[in-house]
Amino acid sequence: MVLPASTQMVLREGHSEFNFGQPDPDLLPLDAMRRAPSAALDTFGADMLGYGAPEGAWPLLAWIQARVGSREHIDVGLDECIGTAGNSDAIDQVCTLFTEPGDVVLVESPTYHLGLRILQDHGLALEAVPVDADGLSIEALEARLADLGRSGRSPRLLYTIPTFHNPTGVSLSPERRRTLIDLAVRHGFLILEDDVYRELAYDGPAPPSLFSLAPRGVVLRMGSFAKALAPGLRLGWLNCSAEQARRFADGGLRDSGGAPNFTAAMMVAALCQSGDFDRHVARLRQAYRERRDALAGALAAHLPPGCTFTTPRGGYFIWIELPSHVDGDLLLDRAGSHRVSFVPGGRVCIDGRSRHCVRLAFSLMKPDALAEGARRLAAAIGDAT
Ligand SMILES: Cc1ncc(COP(=O)(O)O)c(C=O)c1O
């Protein structure tokens, strides 16, 4: 029996696949991952094959604690770090522990479309707040909070990707970060900060996380090894207050099974302790910076008049605004004949706002292929205008 190679990413020969926000397999850390299991067994022995603690793998949590302290210049307690199976898992767990079906949850428009699916699984009442070049619009958020207040409702949670946003690539401005936190404190909602792209910063350090700026208890920040190491590890962490962290660790799920993916977490702890994590991230930054530049340069050269695009300072995505009469879904249908694909904007928002936009991921293709893809995309848009 022949098993399918992958359940997710089926690449078509000769196509420019801008649609997958996934790492290039050629940039996955094969050598470091070859070393990690034996280094972990040497260091941790049989312990790494046990259930592990409900909080997560202590050596990895200690490494995260030290890294957050040194990179973000804040004191974070070990009891304010909790292991997860990545950000998808963390979103799901946060919904389980901190929301009830029917609760109002604010989401960005546009946002990470698969994150939306997880929130929808929990029967939440999602309300969209637009994103502009400086990230989440605070003006629109204030208006939405006022509207909700008039109908006697208030949000439980706001899900946001403030740093190297998926899909737009923008980052929330420093002023907006502070105002957002003030609003959360004043209106009593939690901020669920999706910080999955923090390590992939191409023009200097990433902006400070909301978690690092806010009083404890306001922000739950989700970090992941999916983009900086490998998505298949299914490994991440949460920073939150010690009291919030206890809600994860005290649940029956972890009481029975321990924290998710304990053995993988111990391997990653050994990999991080060896310096391989930092070396790998440095390589990723260089490779993805070159790809961002190659795609941005080719788009500037080839896109027809009436199109604008973002040049992100990190992450995986460039966001294109097409002329307002061009629909992203219809463009995708036509783009097939030009052998190019992307994510149409209508799929990444719940309010139809981005129908004339498209998301391009530059993570998967090499610079030459990105340039060719930009030419194909420009030809498809030219046909549609
Ligand atoms: C914004 C965002 N959050 C979460 C994820 C998924 O994270 P993980 O693999 O850690 O579940 C992605 C992956 O594309 C993403 O772009």
Side-chain angles (χ1 to χ4, degrees), residues 21 86-88 112 159 161 166 194 196-197 224 226-227 234 317:
N87 287 12
S88 313
Y112 172 48
Y159 168 65
I161 312 156
N166 178 359
D194 190 335
V196 73
Y197 295 104
S224 173
K227 311 297 175 183
R234 308 313 307 134
F317 305 107

Side-chain angles (χ1 to χ4, degrees), residues 57-67 78 81 273:
W58 291 120
L60 185 60
L61 295 181
W63 181 84
I64 288 163
Q65 177 195 23
R67 192 173 180 83
L78 198 52
C81 305
Q273 286 169 0

Side-chain angles (χ1 to χ4, degrees), residues 6 23 28 41 146 156 180 242 291 331 336:
S6 160
L28 292 175
L41 281 168
R156 176 75 186 115
L180 173 58
R291 292 176 190 208
L331 180 66

Side-chain angles (χ1 to χ4, degrees), residues 20-23 84-91 111-115 118 159-161 163-167 194-197 222-227 230-232 234-237 316-317 359:
F20 296 109
Q22 298 195 27
T84 69
N87 287 12
S88 313
D89 169 64
I91 298 170
T111 187
Y112 172 48
H113 57 308
L114 301 179
I118 303 170
Y159 168 65
T160 176
I161 312 156
T163 302
F164 315 140
H165 184 250
N166 178 359
D194 190 335
D195 214 7
V196 73
Y197 295 104
M222 306 178 289
S224 173
F225 288 100
K227 311 297 175 183
R234 308 313 307 134
L235 208 59
W237 70 93
Y316 277 178
F317 305 107
R359 185 194 82 172

Side-chain angles (χ1 to χ4, degrees), residues 88-104:
S88 313
D89 169 64
I91 298 170
D92 194 61
Q93 287 291 297
V94 167
C95 290
T96 301
L97 294 172
F98 293 89
T99 68
E100 303 280 342
D103 278 354
V104 174

Side-chain angles (χ1 to χ4, degrees), residues 178-373:
R178 295 199 181 275
T179 317
L180 173 58
I181 291 165
D182 289 347
L183 285 171
V185 172
R186 189 142 34 97
H187 291 265
F189 60 85
L190 291 171
I191 299 176
L192 181 56
E193 176 178 26
D194 190 335
D195 214 7
V196 73
Y197 295 104
R198 169 159 299 274
E199 295 291 342
L200 303 182
Y202 311 135
D203 302 321
S209 63
L210 295 171
F211 175 74
S212 72
L213 299 173
R216 283 295 188 281
V218 176
V219 178
L220 297 116
R221 183 264 293 276
M222 306 178 289
S224 173
F225 288 100
K227 311 297 175 183
L229 280 181
L233 290 165
R234 308 313 307 134
L235 208 59
W237 70 93
L238 248 154
N239 292 130
C240 52
S241 73
E243 196 190 338
Q244 289 163 336
R246 269 200 303 281
R247 292 181 69 171
F248 292 88
D250 287 351
L253 181 64
R254 286 171 188 240
D255 199 15
S256 168
N261 303 331
F262 176 68
T263 301
M266 293 294 259
M267 289 195 293
V268 169
L271 186 155
C272 291
Q273 286 169 0
S274 74
D276 273 345
F277 181 82
D278 284 326
R279 280 187 287 276
H280 182 62
V281 163
R283 181 171 164 242
L284 291 183
R285 286 192 185 130
Q286 185 178 336
Y288 289 136
R289 184 188 301 115
E290 280 168 19
R291 292 176 190 208
R292 183 227 21 210
D293 291 346
L295 180 57
L299 291 173
H302 299 296
L303 282 185
C307 297
T308 57
F309 65 91
T310 58
T311 303
R313 297 169 65 84
Y316 277 178
F317 305 107
I318 284 185
W319 180 247
I320 303 181
E321 288 202 28
L322 306 163
S324 56
H325 64 278
V326 181
D327 179 279
D329 274 296
L330 296 180
L331 180 66
L332 183 62
D333 290 343
R334 286 165 188 249
S337 62
H338 291 271
R339 291 180 297 141
V340 58
S341 63
F342 47 78
V343 174
R347 295 198 195 158
V348 294
C349 61
I350 54 167
D351 57 1
R353 165 179 298 272
S354 312
R355 294 196 66 82
H356 66 294
C357 300
V358 302
R359 185 194 82 172
L360 306 185
F362 54 82
S363 50
L364 200 54
M365 288 185 274
K366 314 274 184 292
D368 285 354
L370 288 165
E372 173 57 24

